[in-house]
Amino acid sequence: MEIVYREEQGLFRLTSGNMEYGIGIVDGQYVGHVYFGKRIEDDGYTYLMRTGEAPYTPSANKRETGAFMDSFPFEYSVWGRGDYRESCLMVKSPEGYRGCELWYEGYRILDGKPRLSGLPATFCKDPEGGDGKTLELYCKDKVLGLRVILRYSIFADSEALLRSVELVNEGDKRVCLEKVLSACLDMDSGHEQVLTLNGSWGRERHMERRDLAYGKQQVSSVRGETSHQEQPFMAVLDQNADQDHGEVYAMHLIYSGNFAAQVEKSQYDSLRMTIGIHPEGFSWMLKPGEHFTAPEAVLVYSDEGLGKMTRTFHDLYRNHLIRSPYLHEKRPVLLNNWEATYFDFNSDKLIAIAREAGKRGIEMLVMDDGWFGCRDSDNSSLGDWFVNEEKLQGTLKELVDRVREEGLLFGIWFEPEMVSPNSLLYRQHPDWAFAVPGRDPVQIRAQYVLDLSRPEVRDYVFEAVANILRSADISYVKWDMNRQLTDVGGLCMGAERQGELFHRYVLGVYELQERLVTEFPGLLLENCSAGGARFDPGMLYYSPQIWCSDDTDAIERLAIQEGTALLYPLSTMGAHVSDCPNHVTGRVTPFTTRGHVAMAGTFGYELDITRISREDQKEIEEQVKQYHQFQPLVREGDYFRIASYSENHLYDCWEVVSKDQRQALVTYVQVLARPNYHSRRIRLKGLREDGWYRLETEDLRMGEYGEGLAQPQNGGVYSGRLLMRGGILVDPMKGDYTSRLFHLVSVDHPGSRGTKGQG
Ligand code: DGJ
């Protein structure tokens, strides 16, 4: 890991592992992007910025500065001075003039990585910052008195590049920031495609890949949260790139509100990728002396396809973003009562569920929505965070103690950011909800959104949650958020600051979660937003896991979890086994398959265990055992995608390999049975080429090597080379939606017994 400045060339080189990022200073003024990709090990590449090509040389040909502006690869593009591609920064002066120009003034190279005030961001593992380095470039708009600090950080153990931007008003007048994106990346184009994650409620983060065309292609959210529909991520990749081959450039934003991620193909066939806070509805008044920090952007380059990109994101987030003490801990197997009871429960019902759950090895009961105020449906009571003791037949502490006596931990649900029109809180403080005077705020799920930009509202919300947590032995909180923002008007905010509210809301959420994990450091926090509408790296800074989707159907989950795992470690993906017919899709799948699919996430149950079949109850015991066996591997290992049902429409397959390559777990789902078809060849990945592995099949119902399992060759022992080049043969199984786990354990040489490796 190194950041160096080559003064003669005016070149900054940032290198880590096999990654190199080059920044050039042109004419002592312009900060240009030179290179991002595989390491070059050569200082002489500033010519790649093409500043010598007529008629674009600014110093030699002032007449054509505009042409220069519109083609130069800028590190951070600005609006109003002739660069008509996407701008990162748009500023309005107090007189109403728009436009900005950045002059390079100097730099600093720091050990470690500065924190971003009020925002989640990656950090060094070493408290002294020995594992990270940061480059700060100082630029200035002299007319506005605006200082722009461009930050670039790298970590010794990662090939990702982290970027953020800080603005400081050093002038004597206030300026209005109308657009502040976090990063831009200019490059030449060939024949690329664009990859994004798109969806809706119940089908979040499906992978979407399409040809890149001239003009702008964007994914975004103006919903106040990252959303079910789109993810703050975009990758530009070779037309032929697959899991293992091809170049990929990816951007991801560590943020949980409105965003825009975009790629633009220009007249000269160059590409500009940008990412940051969505400018729609945004403005920020920066007074003299004030600072504004834009969220951090993650840039990843891979020359080995999507698989390497994925593993770079996973390791970055596990090593440098998730702070929870649970990150490397086995999470308790939980049972959540939402799909079991919805609002219709009391303590006796919950205890009956807990008792049966405990017998089967489940370790925690989570009481979901409906325990507070008069909430027997979603029509009321959000904001009234006092226990409905009539419904719970006593105090919360009494219920928690009873659950603890059954040997289970206790978890609880909140939706702290909201207020129901039908609530005591709203009757007392109607002005605490977002609203535009004269308009009835739009209701979504019969609720309004609290204005978390207001400190007194945040204090109320925090104390309401904290008081409940202080009152009983509670190990886990599910923090839900069930509607998007509308009518974003703050009744206490001046006219010129209304455009700050979307962002201030997100900062308010971050502050609340920071206070929560600070006062309750042992709490396991799971974020959630009507399923997976706020599954983003920002929330991971506070909670080590996020509920993936309200759709727990094992087949729909294949696509959701494939898309989610493209960026996020499996240990972050909230995944549960639920009852069938599935409550969202109505599909009936085998209990085993539901277990196998949920095992690729945090794992738990979402069903009334007292009402399912004896056979399924019994199978829970086996699944819990499997979870304990495989969880360290799933949590810590390297993830490889082998086949995608979304692409082939027949089967799905993924693999997790322990970091020491001593064991691997392959999950294979035969979505559709194919008649008159031979066995399917599955080539594994990530194993030690010269290692030997024993193939252990995990089949709960059929016993070893039952119907549908790979026919073991060579006494069940294979070389790593054979498994990766030749593969294993998986026989067709009878029936749709069937699945199998294959566990590979390294052995010293063929014929010896397996020794289980560490995950
Ligand atoms: C949406 C969540 O995604 C569900 O799991 C559940 O907690 C409901 N909200 C409760 O209202």
Side-chain angles (χ1 to χ4, degrees):
M1 165 196 62
E2 203 178 30
I3 301 180
V4 289
Y5 181 49
R6 301 287 179 225
E7 205 165 348
E8 320 79 70
Q9 289 90 354
L11 174 69
F12 291 95
R13 289 182 56 211
L14 297 88
T15 49
S16 184
N18 204 17
M19 180 279 290
E20 174 146 358
Y21 193 93
I23 301 166
I25 306 299
V26 172
D27 285 351
Q29 176 187 350
Y30 299 104
V31 183
H33 177 71
V34 197
Y35 178 77
F36 183 33
K38 204 168 172 174
R39 203 161 171 156
I40 291 186
E41 293 295 2
D42 186 332
D43 290 344
Y45 59 74
T46 48
Y47 66 87
L48 291 172
M49 289 184 290
R50 299 193 173 93
T51 47
E53 289 181 24
Y56 307 127
T57 316
S59 54
N61 185 3
K62 200 161 185 235
R63 221 183 78 89
E64 294 300 348
T65 310
F68 166 79
M69 292 294 203
D70 206 18
S71 72
F72 182 67
F74 282 104
E75 266 301 313
Y76 195 66
S77 55
V78 295
W79 194 91
R81 295 283 294 167
D83 181 355
Y84 297 107
R85 296 161 293 172
E86 187 69 17
S87 63
C88 289
L89 185 63
M90 189 195 268
V91 187
K92 192 168 74 173
S93 73
E95 298 78 25
Y97 300 115
R98 289 194 172 83
C100 176
E101 184 166 23
L102 300 185
W103 291 68
Y104 171 73
E105 293 206 318
Y107 74 96
R108 201 158 69 112
I109 295 172
L110 324 171
D111 284 335
K113 182 169 186 290
R115 290 201 171 281
L116 300 193
S117 144
L119 284 166
T122 57
F123 51 83
C124 290
K125 272 191 288 190
D126 173 5
E128 307 295 320
D131 57 334
K133 280 198 178 294
T134 299
L135 168 67
E136 290 187 342
L137 297 180
Y138 305 114
C139 305
K140 187 136 183 183
D141 183 304
K142 291 173 190 154
V143 174
L144 294 167
L146 186 68
R147 188 175 171 86
V148 176
I149 306 171
L150 305 178
R151 289 208 176 85
Y152 303 80
S153 298
I154 49 176
F155 297 113
D157 61 358
S158 172
E159 293 189 358
L161 180 93
L162 293 313
R163 289 189 57 172
S164 66
V165 179
E166 185 178 340
L167 307 177
V168 191
N169 186 345
E170 293 182 341
D172 51 11
K173 292 181 188 162
R174 46 193 212 171
V175 294
C176 181
L177 311 176
E178 296 192 315
K179 180 181 188 185
V180 188
L181 300 188
S182 297
C184 109
L185 179 66
D186 282 2
M187 57 186 133
D188 284 355
S189 91
H191 297 286
E192 288 84 4
Q193 292 196 315
V194 188
L195 174 68
T196 55
L197 297 174
N198 301 77
S200 182
W201 177 85
R203 49 183 165 84
E204 294 90 336
R205 290 173 299 286
H206 283 215
M207 286 167 68
E208 166 82 16
R209 193 167 162 170
R210 58 197 172 279
D211 287 346
L212 203 153
Y214 286 106
K216 298 178 177 179
Q217 290 155 69
Q218 187 185 77
V219 285
S220 66
S221 165
V222 288
R223 296 166 188 265
E225 59 174 354
T226 34
S227 86
H228 297 102
Q229 289 74 11
E230 300 183 0
Q231 172 72 198
F233 159 80
M234 180 171 276
V236 167
L237 64 169
D238 288 344
Q239 198 99 27
N240 300 327
D242 59 18
Q243 282 296 318
D244 307 302
H245 310 96
E247 287 194 298
V248 184
Y249 292 88
M251 279 187 171
H252 204 194
L253 191 67
I254 304 182
Y255 190 58
S256 311
N258 293 347
F259 71 88
Q262 183 176 287
V263 61
E264 175 183 6
K265 184 167 176 171
S266 81
Q267 55 184 331
Y268 302 117
D269 287 349
S270 63
L271 300 183
R272 171 168 289 173
M273 294 178 77
T274 47
I275 200 161
I277 293 179
H278 202 303
E280 225 170 78
F282 171 86
S283 67
W284 195 277
M285 193 56 71
L286 204 64
K287 288 193 192 144
E290 284 185 346
H291 295 236
F292 178 86
T293 306
E296 184 164 74
V298 185
L299 275 62
V300 170
Y301 164 79
S302 161
D303 59 330
E304 291 170 32
L306 288 167
K308 183 172 168 196
M309 176 203 79
T310 291
R311 289 184 289 281
T312 304
F313 276 117
H314 285 196
D315 285 341
L316 178 77
Y317 293 156
R318 282 185 295 205
N319 293 329
H320 299 283
L321 182 67
I322 304 171
R323 299 173 297 168
S324 165
Y326 286 91
L327 173 62
H328 298 298
E329 292 296 317
K330 200 183 282 174
R331 321 280 158 82
V333 179
L334 65 81
L335 188 150
N336 178 304
N337 75 313
W338 179 241
E339 285 196 26
T341 65
Y342 295 102
F343 293 101
D344 180 19
F345 62 88
N346 58 20
S347 282
D348 289 342
K349 207 168 191 177
L350 293 179
I351 292 298
I353 291 175
R355 184 164 301 147
E356 192 57 42
K359 279 194 227 154
R360 308 292 171 185
I362 292 171
E363 298 159 304
M364 179 158 72
L365 178 80
V366 176
M367 178 170 68
D368 210 279
D369 195 353
W371 55 266
F372 53 92
C374 330
R375 188 142 164 116
D376 285 325
S377 77
D378 56 14
N379 280 318
S380 80
S381 303
L382 293 172
D384 297 345
W385 299 110
F386 47 84
V387 177
N388 185 339
E389 294 189 355
E390 205 182 311
K391 184 167 181 174
L392 292 195
Q393 303 160 293
T395 65
L396 178 63
K397 183 169 175 349
E398 282 161 356
L399 168 63
V400 176
D401 289 347
R402 284 175 73 190
V403 171
R404 300 288 286 122
E405 277 161 27
E406 297 295 334
L408 277 79
L409 301 168
F410 187 86
I412 195 165
W413 176 97
F414 287 97
E415 191 173 0
E417 299 158 58
M418 301 292 156
V419 61
S420 306
N422 181 8
S423 66
L424 292 176
L425 182 68
Y426 189 69
R427 283 191 277 280
Q428 279 164 11
H429 296 287
D431 60 312
W432 281 13
F434 278 135
V436 172
R439 294 188 201 282
D440 254 357
V442 170
Q443 291 191 28
I444 301 181
R445 207 191 192 208
Q447 58 197 63
Y448 297 149
V449 184
L450 289 171
D451 178 356
L452 295 182
S453 73
R454 291 172 64 171
E456 67 274 28
V457 178
R458 295 199 297 274
D459 286 347
Y460 169 82
V461 165
F462 178 74
E463 280 308 314
V465 174
N467 277 334
I468 295 289
L469 298 184
R470 290 176 199 129
S471 75
D473 184 4
I474 296 172
S475 308
Y476 160 106
V477 162
K478 176 174 171 188
W479 179 304
D480 204 349
M481 193 268 196
N482 282 300
R483 64 157 286 177
Q484 302 86 44
L485 276 53
T486 59
D487 306 284
V488 179
L491 302 181
C492 289
M493 199 60 100
E496 76 284 2
R497 289 202 175 272
Q498 293 289 333
E500 299 177 13
L501 281 172
F502 272 109
H503 183 53
R504 286 191 184 276
Y505 176 83
V506 178
L507 296 178
V509 173
Y510 291 153
E511 188 206 282
L512 281 172
Q513 296 216 345
E514 184 70 42
R515 284 165 77 175
L516 192 70
V517 297
T518 306
E519 177 164 342
F520 304 97
L523 189 72
L524 174 56
L525 181 61
E526 175 155 356
N527 269 291
C528 169
S529 178
R534 209 162 53 183
F535 206 124
D536 60 61
M539 301 318 287
L540 279 188
Y541 186 68
Y542 306 96
S543 66
Q545 58 196 60
I546 304 175
W547 184 228
C548 243
S549 176
D550 276 344
D551 195 330
T552 48
D553 169 56
I555 302 308
E556 172 54 38
R557 276 285 180 137
L558 296 178
I560 296 174
Q561 295 183 186
E562 179 186 9
T564 308
L566 183 75
L567 305 173
Y568 298 97
L570 304 190
S571 62
T572 65
M573 303 194 317
H576 297 165
V577 175
S578 61
D579 204 3
C580 274
N582 181 269
H583 292 198
V584 173
T585 62
R587 193 179 277 133
V588 177
T589 53
F591 203 79
T592 310
T593 305
R594 284 176 260 159
H596 288 166
V597 173
M599 209 136 346
T602 55
F603 197 70
Y605 293 86
E606 186 104 8
L607 42 73
D608 186 345
I609 194 170
T610 64
R611 298 174 69 158
I612 59 174
S613 70
R614 283 244 154 263
E615 212 187 11
D616 288 352
Q617 284 176 342
K618 197 91 202 93
E619 190 162 340
I620 288 179
E621 286 175 37
E622 297 302 321
Q623 289 180 339
V624 170
K625 274 191 215 141
Q626 275 189 345
Y627 165 79
H628 287 300
Q629 182 184 356
F630 295 133
Q631 214 271 337
L633 172 58
V634 170
R635 193 182 64 225
E636 312 284 346
D638 284 333
Y639 170 84
F640 294 86
R641 170 60 48 178
I642 294 180
S644 163
Y645 163 61
S646 305
E647 276 173 19
N648 64 39
H649 309 298
L650 288 168
Y651 70 104
D652 211 57
C653 187
W654 65 90
E655 180 191 10
V656 185
V657 182
S658 63
K659 289 276 178 194
D660 63 7
Q661 296 171 296
R662 291 187 62 79
Q663 57 169 329
L665 183 69
V666 179
T667 309
Y668 172 86
V669 182
Q670 174 186 282
V671 181
L672 291 182
R674 207 173 184 195
N676 187 22
Y677 196 67
H678 54 60
S679 61
R680 188 165 277 136
R681 181 138 72 115
I682 297 293
R683 286 199 279 187
L684 307 191
K685 299 183 183 180
L687 302 175
R688 210 177 283 160
E689 291 235 323
D690 55 3
W692 291 91
Y693 296 87
R694 174 182 296 282
L695 177 64
E696 297 180 350
T697 53
E698 306 291 331
D699 185 7
L700 301 175
R701 287 191 166 150
M702 295 173 188
E704 273 220 343
Y705 306 123
E707 179 227 17
L709 299 179
Q711 301 302 315
Q713 307 294 316
N714 313 341
V717 174
Y718 303 76
S719 71
R721 209 170 276 128
L722 174 57
L723 288 168
M724 292 192 288
R725 296 179 192 172
I728 55 173
L729 297 178
V730 182
D731 276 355
M733 294 174 262
K734 281 218 179 70
D736 296 338
Y737 317 137
T738 45
S739 66
R740 292 291 176 266
L741 293 183
F742 302 109
H743 186 207
L744 290 142
V745 180
S746 87
V747 291
D748 296 336
H749 53 79
S752 71
R753 285 194 67 77
T755 44
K756 296 231 150 81
Q758 295 303 305

